[in-house]
């Protein structure tokens, strides 16, 4: 086919864009997160202290640690879906979040007696957390991978890993509302391990599925 | 550099208008992009020591990718980095499909092969090679719109289908075409 003829076909196929990529991601992710949340809370419920937990500064700190992570990962997600390779600058917001996490861990070191560090890190729910976050995150990740397939990720495995990270952060927020362990130590160890699982799943599925 | 910048701005403005459905702007955008993509394809192929005989196929593959993935462009940025990102990805894909046997750098070859006009004539045979692999319905609509230059409405009338059906069929045809380009060679 001659190229100017192809151009005519493309022009004829032009439709106003109803939805751009960020909107598409947010909408689909919203539905997936809603379904995952309903299923998880339906099965396991919220924390025993329910709404009262909002008055607990340790709970509030935990949630804000996770929410800032979600916020910092969002621009990265937008980049991961596009054809332009990511640069170290794109990861800068993540460094700020890292600093925030380190500060809160420092605070924990200062406020909590040393003998309590280890029990806090091990927590009560470690293994459950390790299973729950990937399970909540998986439908989200599947949604993102499908959406990325129609997008143009520059490096499939990296984009998949970023998607896994982002889904893990959202799943963590959902899970954190259920989980009684509030120590940043616990977050780093167990949430961190769960995040690794989702990132690996994202990177692997990205490698296989995200070629375009 | 200023030239490049201003043409990037112009192309971006056309594409923004195209996103809102302006066909004329879209035609301008694609037409202006064509020589750029030809040069990019020829240069990358010859640099990798691959055959440039079907470089026009590569150009078309890039154009289809741009078309089908245009919702991924962030309109607050200029478009050329995005275009080059798509082109780069597709070039890597093409070279990978061809295998790496021919990857001998041929310095100075670019000047000889940069005769884009010839490339278009060469790919005329592809009407059979690529469109022939579309289903009957898809091929008819794509042919009517591209080769005969009919509007969707006229093509629909001619083929005795509704305008909506023609629109959907054309879009599916282009998607199939993108897949065929991606699996060939």
């Amino acid at each position: 086919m001659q190229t100017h003829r192809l151009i005519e076909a493309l022009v004829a196929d032009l439709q106003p864009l109803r939805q751009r990529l960020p909107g598409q991601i947010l909408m689909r992710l919203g539905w997936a997160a809603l379904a995952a949340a309903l299923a998880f809370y339906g099965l396991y419920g919220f924390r025993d202290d329910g709404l009262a937990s909002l008055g607990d500064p340790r709970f509030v700190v935990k949630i804000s640690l996770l929410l800032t992570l979600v916020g910092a990962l969002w621009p990265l997600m937008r980049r991961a879906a596009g054809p332009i390779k990511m640069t170290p600058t794109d990861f800068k917001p993540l460094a700020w979040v890292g600093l925030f996490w380190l500060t809160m861990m420092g605070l924990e070191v200062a406020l909590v007696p040393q003998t309590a560090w280890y029990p806090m890190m091990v927590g009560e729910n470690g293994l459950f957390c390790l299973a729950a976050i990937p399970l909540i995150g998986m439908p989200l990740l599947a949604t993102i991978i499908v959406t990325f397939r129609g997008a143009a990720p520059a490096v499939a495995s990296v984009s998949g890993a970023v998607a896994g990270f982002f889904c893990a952060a959202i799943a963590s927020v959902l899970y954190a509302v259920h989980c009684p362990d509030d120590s940043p130590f616990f977050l780093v160890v167990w949430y961190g391990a769960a995040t690794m699982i989702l990132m690996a799943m994202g990177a692997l599925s990205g490698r296989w599925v995200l070629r375009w | 550099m200023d030239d490049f910048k201003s043409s990037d701005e112009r192309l971006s403005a056309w594409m923004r208008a195209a996103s809102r459905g302006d066909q004329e702007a879209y035609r301008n955008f694609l037409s202006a992009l064509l020589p750029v993509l030809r040069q990019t394809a020829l240069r990358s192929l010859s640099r990798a020591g691959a055959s440039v005989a079907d470089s026009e196929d590569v150009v078309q593959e890039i154009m289809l990718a741009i078309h089908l993935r245009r919702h991924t462009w962030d309109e607050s940025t200029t478009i050329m980095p995005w275009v080059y990102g798509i082109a780069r990805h597709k070039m890597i894909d093409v070279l990978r499909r061809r295998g790496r046997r021919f990857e001998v750098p041929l310095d100075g070859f670019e000047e000889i092969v940069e005769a884009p006009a010839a490339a278009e004539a060469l790919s005329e045979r592809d009407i059979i090679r690529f469109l022939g692999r579309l289903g009957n319905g898809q091929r008819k609509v794509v042919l009517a719109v591209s080769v005969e230059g009919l509007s969707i409405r006229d093509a629909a009338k001619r083929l005795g289908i509704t305008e909506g059906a023609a629109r959907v069929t054309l879009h599916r045809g282009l998607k199939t075409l993108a897949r065929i380009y991606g699996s060939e060679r």
Side-chain angles (χ1 to χ4, degrees), chain A residues 51-76:
Chain A
L51 273 180
S53 59
L54 286 175
D56 178 355
R58 294 176 60 78
F59 176 79
V60 174
V61 165
K62 172 172 82 168
I63 296 293
S64 26
L65 283 171
L66 295 170
L67 282 178
T68 47
L69 188 59
V70 173
L73 282 169
W74 172 241
L76 209 57

Side-chain angles (χ1 to χ4, degrees), chain A residues 1-22 24 78 81-85 147-156 210-212, chain B residues 18-23 26-27 34 56 60 63 67 69-72 74-75 81-82 85-86 88-90 93 96 120 123-124 126-127 145-147 152 167 170-171 174 177:
Chain A
M1 178 157 51
Q2 288 191 331
T3 306
H4 66 90
R5 289 174 174 163
L6 176 69
I7 289 180
E8 284 314 306
L10 298 184
V11 168
D13 189 47
L14 182 75
Q15 294 269 43
L17 285 181
R18 264 167 302 151
Q19 205 172 35
R20 272 162 248 273
L21 189 70
Q24 202 176 50
R78 297 181 58 161
I84 304 169
K85 268 194 181 174
T147 309
F148 274 17
R149 246 184 91 88
V155 184
L210 288 185
R211 295 204 41 210
W212 48 280
Chain B
S19 300
R20 285 181 290 282
D22 183 340
Q23 293 195 322
Y26 197 41
R27 186 178 288 112
L34 184 54
E56 196 70 4
Q60 295 182 2
M63 280 209 157
H67 178 71
R69 289 158 208 281
R70 62 188 192 280
H71 67 291
T72 67
D74 177 358
E75 287 202 4
W82 179 86
I86 299 256
R88 191 186 136 274
H89 187 99
K90 281 293 162 194
D93 218 26
R96 189 187 292 136
E120 171 131 354
S123 70
E124 184 65 346
D126 295 340
I127 287 197
V145 170
S146 61
V147 177
I152 294 251
R167 200 171 285 288
L170 173 64
H171 190 67
L174 292 173
L177 215 48

Side-chain angles (χ1 to χ4, degrees), chain B residues 27-40:
Chain B
R27 186 178 288 112
N28 289 339
F29 170 76
L30 292 174
S31 307
L33 212 53
L34 184 54
V36 181
L37 292 182
R38 280 184 175 148
Q39 205 177 2
T40 306

Side-chain angles (χ1 to χ4, degrees), chain A residues 20 22 75 78-79 82-85 90, chain B residues 4-17 19-20 29 69-86:
Chain A
R20 272 162 248 273
R78 297 181 58 161
R79 296 279 284 149
I84 304 169
K85 268 194 181 174
D90 291 319
Chain B
F4 176 78
K5 237 175 139 180
S6 67
S7 81
D8 194 0
E9 293 292 347
R10 198 175 62 231
L11 286 164
S12 306
W14 276 332
M15 192 52 156
R16 284 187 199 104
S19 300
R20 285 181 290 282
F29 170 76
R69 289 158 208 281
R70 62 188 192 280
H71 67 291
T72 67
W73 173 49
D74 177 358
E75 287 202 4
S76 64
T77 65
T78 57
I79 198 156
M80 283 318 282
W82 179 86
V83 166
Y84 282 126
I86 299 256

Side-chain angles (χ1 to χ4, degrees), chain B residues 119-184:
Chain B
E120 171 131 354
L122 261 180
S123 70
E124 184 65 346
R125 63 198 157 91
D126 295 340
I127 287 197
I128 299 145
R129 183 147 69 107
F130 288 132
L131 288 186
R133 288 180 53 186
L134 289 182
N136 211 13
Q138 290 181 2
R139 188 178 61 244
K140 275 183 186 161
V141 177
V142 174
L143 270 175
V145 170
S146 61
V147 177
E148 297 178 52
L150 298 180
S151 68
I152 294 251
R153 183 175 305 162
D154 293 339
K157 214 177 282 168
R158 157 91 69 78
L159 298 169
I161 53 179
T162 66
E163 202 178 319
R167 200 171 285 288
V168 171
T169 310
L170 173 64
H171 190 67
R172 286 197 187 135
L174 292 173
K175 272 188 164 167
T176 316
L177 215 48
R179 248 202 323 276
I180 294 172
Y181 277 92
S183 64
E184 268 290 288

Side-chain angles (χ1 to χ4, degrees), chain A residues 146-210:
Chain A
V146 168
T147 309
F148 274 17
R149 246 184 91 88
V155 184
S157 51
V158 176
S159 297
V162 169
F165 199 172
F166 187 65
C167 293
I170 293 178
S172 298
V173 174
L174 295 175
Y175 174 73
V177 177
H178 164 85
C179 177
D181 294 304
D182 291 341
S183 170
F185 299 154
F186 184 88
L187 291 194
V188 168
V189 172
W190 297 103
Y191 285 47
T195 301
M196 298 284 181
I197 295 175
L198 277 168
M199 282 178 78
M201 287 201 285
L204 284 177
S205 58
R207 254 185 91 108
W208 295 112
V209 183
L210 288 185

